[in-house]
Amino acid sequence: MISSSFTAGGVGVGLRTHDSPPVTYIKPLLTPPILDHRCNNNKKSKFRSTRRAVKAPQTQAFLLVSHSFSQSEHTAAASSSSVLGMANCSLKTTTNHLRHVESMAVLPSGAGKIPRLNAVILGEALASEEDDLVFPSDDFARQALLPSAQKYLEMYKRSVEDPAGFWSDIASQFLWKSKWGDTVCSENFDIRNGNVYVQWFKGGITNICYNCLDRNVDSGNGDKIAFHWEGNERGFHDSLTYTQLLSQVCQVANYLRDIGVKKGDAVVIYLPMLMELPIAMLACARIGAVHSVVFAGFSADSLAQRIMDCKPKVVLTCNAVKRGSKVIHLKDIVDAALSESAKNGISVDACLTYENRSAMMRETTKWQDGRDIWWQDVVPTYSTICEVEWVDAEDPLFLLYTSGSTGKPKGVLHTTGGYMVYTATTFKYAFDYKPSDIYWCTADCGWITGHSYVTYGPLLNGATVVIYEGAPNYPDPGRCWDIVDKFKVTIFYTAPTLVRSLMRDGDAYVTRYSRKSLRVLGSVGEPINPSAWRWFFNVVGDSRCPISDTWWQTETGGFMIAPLPGAWPQKPGSATFPFFGVQPVIVDEKGVEIEGECSGYLCVKSSWPGTFRTLYGDHERYETTYFKPFPGYYFSGDGCSRDKDGYYWLTGRVDDVINVSGHRIGTAEVESALVSHPQCAEAAVVGVEHEVKGQGIYAFVTLVDGIPYSEELRRNLITTVRNQIGPFAAPDRIHWAPGLPKTRSGKIMRRILRKIASRQLDELGDTSTLADPGVVDQLIALADC
Ligand code: 6R9
């Protein structure tokens, strides 16, 4: 039984652990260390002179906008009506083309006017690297849910001054069996005041599955497509309407109940991107069970470790999956994990196995009678109606294990009500979601992005979601755009690593598809370097689609810092400004907040509804990892800069910072400089011991297809970094890398790169979770080239 008890105590205040940030001071930078971002004011931009000539009335034209705010959101912004009238008057004298420049003269940060206007407007290409601002176009803002910075400011202000009022107005739009008590939010975010805890909507009784499915069916959207599923092989596809999805979820929920799964019990799900994966998650939520999805690229050992930690009654899996041209026998991995956990005293009674016929037939699947059950044999026999288990807002919804800096994964625990309200709201605004949208997020449900933005956030909004089973470059690098055209995808949300890899394969794979349905793009998982951002914007989005670069974490549940696409200009590579209710702060090594333009450690002041509540079974580690390093704040583990316009730039994990001769250098900065070289497709930088400088910079570099390795290119790459960051940041070593060791979610495994860089080849550790373990041997072979 999983309970979100927050009462673990006995934590010694002031204790630093391996999860704490390094204690060395990050020198605030005079200019923002923003990847390959440029701000050369001397060069000419095609619009610069005209825009500078305009006197800014400092308001936005949102009276002209017809949008779909609900009543409570109107209330949230009600105080703006007089300003609106003024804005409308002043607009009469202004041409449409210049209106955005005027209206954006005041930034959400309150930083004042943007001094540089090397800008384009949506619809115009970012032709030169000096273009560092992309304004929402008139057309985009006119239809946007949040059409101006001012509107955002009004709502943001209320969200931090009156979080209870702000969030309960939004929460009221969901179905609650009974409302929460008088206290909307109760928290202690300051370790110095005792145990850290967070509660939102406590006492409110609801069910997230009901809100995702029944509520949409009841409101007349039962025939709307909930999921379009595209198989690994072209031509294999399927879809489910909201009504059909509800029926299938109910059948699985009834099965789970029948085998004795009850509210609070853990269920482990080890499935690939079949529709059965979100179906299984929703079925658990329907009966109050706590799902723990394990990404189906994890090894048997990792799966066993998670099974032993949360002790599920049942494991849900499938026999095999085809990804690209490879068949992966998932059931064999589950068998090995179950026997490993049984050896350690944790036996699982039932293993519900989906027969994934496109990959493997049941006849050839290894089977353990009594424990294993074919999904197709039992699930369809259950009723398509299943009463929901009404749960408290603070009852656990799911566990998701994530890596920390120790070997033991952390079981991040999210509860129901706050997570529901937060994922739905962030999804809606950051993607400017409209009911007519077709939304595709390439993430796997094995990661938080697949929880919050494949499953819960979109379904809570009644969206149509595309799910793709296969590899994004199978059978060729045009597959994503083929899928976009096939389903007329309007919102495409992916990871920078995929953007860079597709960029490397060349524009032709993109441009042979229309992509004209696309209207909003999104990025998540790591900082997106400006050159990848530009390519994504110019080539994939035909310069027409804003990019929502969403910074958030497994722990945060939903977006924390992200562009609201109609509300303010984007800067390539910046996640821009905080979402409603989020109060980011940048602190120095002593935990002192730094104001204005600076860089340091990114923390968050006070809670937001989607935050995690504890680490399962280890509340002490929760407090030690996240709340002790900088008392009074949640510590994200990320480094961050804020530029003079108030934009936030995530610079990577603070443990990925290299100290060269006393200079702290973000690996992401060096990587971005390298990637800005036209012949460099991707780069990963790690620190290595250096007898003079303390640490040296070691760069793994993947070249654009067809470019040969040469000493001259090596020198050019080093010069590029010297020129862009400074001589102190010049890599000591460039290691040619035909590929980089990445997890299946696309994260580069720097641990392995550090070992290769320092030639500790006998300490490479577990490489089984890599998307392509063969990459490691290639890198070793090229070590002395
Ligand atoms: C959602 C997710 C979290 C870490 C986070 C940060 C990095 C995620 C980012 C980003 C820069 C973004 N990260 N989004 N860095 N810009 N837009 O990825 O969760 O797997 O827990 O990773 O990913 O370093 O701390 P998770």
Side-chain angles (χ1 to χ4, degrees):
M1 168 75 82
I2 308 266
S3 88
S4 58
S5 136
F6 313 126
T7 50
V11 185
V13 176
L15 190 81
R16 274 191 186 274
T17 70
H18 30 252
D19 281 333
S20 307
V23 280
T24 341
Y25 178 53
I26 294 188
K27 197 161 64 179
L29 300 168
L30 294 177
T31 49
I34 37 183
L35 313 174
D36 63 0
H37 170 66
R38 309 268 167 78
C39 49
N40 186 343
N41 290 326
N42 299 323
K43 295 187 199 160
K44 265 199 179 156
S45 158
K46 37 192 165 158
F47 296 108
R48 210 169 112 212
S49 53
T50 343
R51 285 174 189 169
R52 283 207 171 141
V54 175
K55 280 195 186 144
Q58 307 194 351
T59 44
Q60 167 72 306
F62 44 77
L63 249 203
L64 305 179
V65 176
S66 106
H67 53 73
S68 59
F69 279 132
S70 67
Q71 189 53 48
S72 47
E73 284 157 336
H74 274 299
T75 319
S79 59
S80 63
S81 53
S82 58
V83 186
L84 290 174
M86 279 165 51
N88 200 23
C89 288
S90 66
L91 276 167
K92 287 180 188 150
T93 59
T94 313
T95 67
N96 276 347
H97 191 62
L98 297 170
R99 213 180 68 204
H100 291 282
V101 180
E102 295 177 1
S103 63
M104 284 311 305
V106 174
L107 291 167
S109 64
K113 292 182 183 182
I114 298 178
R116 302 179 304 276
L117 288 174
N118 292 342
V120 300
I121 293 181
L122 275 183
E124 299 167 347
L126 275 165
S128 129
E129 293 200 354
E130 77 202 53
D131 291 335
D132 54 11
L133 285 171
V134 181
F135 284 84
S137 65
D138 222 19
D139 286 350
F140 194 94
R142 185 176 294 120
Q143 59 78 60
L145 289 173
L146 255 167
S148 72
Q150 190 170 344
K151 183 103 189 161
Y152 159 81
L153 278 175
E154 288 153 12
M155 288 175 70
Y156 181 76
K157 196 162 178 285
R158 180 169 180 229
S159 74
V160 296
E161 286 174 2
D162 174 22
F166 180 88
W167 287 114
S168 49
D169 280 354
I170 293 179
S172 303
Q173 297 163 29
F174 295 86
L175 191 289
W176 298 81
K177 193 85 178 154
S178 54
K179 279 277 172 82
W180 48 93
D182 291 339
T183 313
V184 177
C185 166
S186 138
E187 71 180 42
N188 172 33
F189 241 43
D190 190 338
I191 186 93
R192 292 164 300 196
N193 298 335
N195 285 334
V196 176
Y197 74 94
V198 176
Q199 292 180 336
W200 280 86
F201 311 115
K202 177 88 181 145
I205 304 295
T206 189
N207 182 289
I208 195 169
C209 173
Y210 189 94
N211 276 287
C212 285
L213 303 181
D214 309 57
R215 197 173 51 112
N216 284 313
V217 172
D218 293 349
S219 64
N221 284 322
D223 291 336
K224 187 174 177 182
I225 299 289
F227 290 137
H228 281 299
W229 176 82
E230 168 84 358
N232 182 62
E233 303 300 331
R234 273 200 175 111
F236 280 75
H237 53 94
D238 201 354
S239 63
L240 287 178
T241 64
Y242 271 88
T243 302
Q244 290 166 333
L245 178 60
L246 174 59
S247 300
Q248 297 212 6
V249 165
C250 285
Q251 288 183 314
V252 177
N254 281 325
Y255 162 78
L256 291 173
R257 250 195 199 139
D258 194 30
I259 62 164
V261 177
K262 292 191 222 33
K263 180 180 169 208
D265 288 342
V267 172
V268 164
I269 303 172
Y270 187 75
L271 277 165
M273 285 303 274
L274 302 170
M275 284 192 282
E276 280 64 27
L277 174 44
I279 287 172
M281 293 161 68
L282 290 158
C284 291
R286 192 167 192 87
I287 61 168
V290 182
H291 58 72
S292 172
V293 182
V294 179
F295 173 58
F298 274 114
S299 64
D301 280 355
S302 307
L303 178 58
Q305 194 176 24
R306 286 154 177 76
I307 289 172
M308 289 183 296
D309 196 55
C310 71
K311 306 174 186 62
K313 279 234 162 87
V314 51
V315 173
L316 275 53
T317 189
C318 73
N319 52 353
V321 65
K322 229 181 141 196
R323 243 184 99 85
S325 47
K326 270 198 310 204
V327 176
I328 304 152
H329 295 113
L330 297 181
K331 177 67 166 44
D332 289 353
I333 297 171
V334 174
D335 286 349
L338 288 178
S339 68
E340 174 67 20
S341 53
K343 270 189 228 147
N344 288 283
I346 307 295
S347 296
V348 177
D349 298 335
C351 178
L352 184 69
T353 309
Y354 185 82
E355 183 188 8
N356 190 15
R357 293 191 190 115
S358 62
M360 187 183 197
M361 304 307 280
R362 62 170 68 189
E363 292 70 30
T364 46
T365 307
K366 289 197 202 108
W367 208 244
Q368 184 171 316
D369 285 330
R371 184 196 68 187
D372 301 342
I373 310 107
W374 286 112
W375 183 302
Q376 285 94 329
D377 287 355
V378 290
V379 171
T381 64
Y382 283 88
S383 163
T384 55
I385 295 166
C386 174
E387 284 300 307
V388 304
E389 180 82 38
W390 298 103
V391 301
D392 191 283
E394 279 303 331
D395 279 334
L397 173 63
F398 67 85
L399 277 178
L400 186 59
Y401 289 87
T402 186
S403 333
S405 23
T406 68
K408 190 175 184 289
K410 304 182 276 197
V412 168
L413 187 126
H414 282 281
T415 56
T416 304
Y419 177 85
M420 173 171 82
V421 171
Y422 198 69
T423 52
T425 313
T426 45
F427 172 82
K428 173 174 163 182
Y429 286 108
F431 295 130
D432 187 44
Y433 171 74
K434 307 286 159 40
S436 55
D437 277 316
I438 309 287
Y439 165 80
W440 180 22
C441 167
T442 60
D444 190 291
C445 285
W447 310 108
I448 189 68
T449 307
H451 283 59
S452 302
Y453 300 109
V454 172
T455 311
Y456 294 113
L459 296 181
L460 287 163
N461 280 281
T464 295
V465 180
V466 173
I467 294 177
Y468 174 46
E469 178 191 32
N473 55 359
Y474 178 78
D476 66 45
R479 185 66 187 275
C480 286
W481 322 120
D482 182 34
I483 295 172
V484 164
D485 282 359
K486 177 171 176 177
F487 295 108
K488 308 265 178 302
V489 171
T490 58
I491 305 173
F492 178 69
Y493 185 38
T494 192
T497 182
L498 180 62
V499 175
R500 286 194 298 265
S501 120
L502 297 178
M503 181 175 159
R504 186 183 169 203
D505 291 316
D507 297 4
Y509 283 110
V510 187
T511 53
R512 76 168 63 139
Y513 296 96
S514 144
R515 293 157 288 112
K516 71 172 189 292
S517 54
L518 288 174
R519 63 177 206 93
V520 176
L521 302 174
S523 170
V524 61
E526 53 177 315
I528 178 163
N529 51 300
S531 50
W533 198 103
R534 284 194 185 89
W535 183 83
F536 200 24
F537 178 79
N538 285 335
V539 181
V540 173
D542 281 331
S543 312
R544 168 187 83 239
C545 310
I547 299 176
S548 244
D549 174 3
T550 58
W551 175 79
W552 62 295
Q553 306 175 297
T554 303
E555 292 88 341
T556 69
F559 304 152
M560 299 294 281
I561 302 180
L564 302 182
W568 55 71
Q570 293 151 46
K571 294 191 182 188
S574 165
T576 75
F577 297 105
F579 193 72
F580 303 129
V582 176
Q583 300 181 62
V585 292
I586 298 180
V587 301
D588 67 14
E589 89 291 357
K590 297 196 183 83
V592 177
E593 269 184 58
I594 325 174
E595 301 286 334
E597 191 182 352
C598 63
S599 63
Y601 301 109
L602 181 61
C603 293
V604 186
K605 211 192 291 197
S606 35
S607 79
W608 58 99
T611 187
F612 69 139
R613 305 304 200 243
T614 191
L615 291 179
Y616 176 59
D618 201 349
H619 198 71
E620 186 172 332
R621 187 176 180 196
Y622 165 80
E623 292 183 331
T624 310
T625 307
Y626 301 101
F627 295 93
K628 270 193 182 165
F630 301 113
Y633 307 108
Y634 163 76
F635 173 47
S636 68
D638 279 342
C640 183
S641 313
R642 191 167 42 216
D643 70 17
K644 59 182 176 303
D645 301 324
Y647 282 67
Y648 288 86
W649 300 80
L650 276 301
T651 51
R653 304 291 303 185
V654 285
D655 35 16
D656 288 334
V657 169
I658 307 175
N659 192 329
V660 183
S661 307
H663 298 286
R664 297 190 127 257
I665 302 165
T667 51
E669 287 173 76
V670 182
E671 286 161 11
S672 183
L674 288 166
V675 168
S676 74
H677 189 287
Q679 294 179 325
C680 173
E682 188 154 28
V685 168
V686 295
V688 282
E689 233 177 271
H690 190 288
E691 47 179 347
V692 179
K693 301 192 255 181
Q695 272 192 306
I697 298 178
Y698 195 109
F700 292 85
V701 168
T702 308
L703 296 177
V704 167
D705 260 354
I707 302 289
Y709 306 138
S710 75
E711 278 315 301
E712 196 197 351
L713 181 51
R714 217 173 224 149
R715 279 193 301 276
N716 287 343
L717 286 165
I718 293 174
T719 308
T720 304
V721 182
R722 289 174 79 95
N723 290 345
Q724 283 198 19
I725 307 177
F728 63 89
D732 297 273
R733 179 94 170 84
I734 303 264
H735 185 137
W736 302 124
L740 291 167
K742 288 179 185 168
T743 62
R744 290 277 297 279
S745 72
K747 288 212 162 69
I748 295 170
M749 285 188 76
R750 285 165 201 281
R751 175 177 61 76
I752 292 174
L753 290 178
R754 281 192 206 101
K755 296 294 175 194
I756 296 175
S758 56
R759 305 292 188 270
Q760 294 167 294
L761 302 181
D762 48 347
E763 290 172 35
L764 288 174
D766 179 17
T767 55
S768 66
T769 56
L770 291 177
D772 176 10
V775 157
V776 174
D777 291 334
Q778 274 180 342
L779 287 178
I780 294 171
L782 284 166
D784 297 307
C785 294

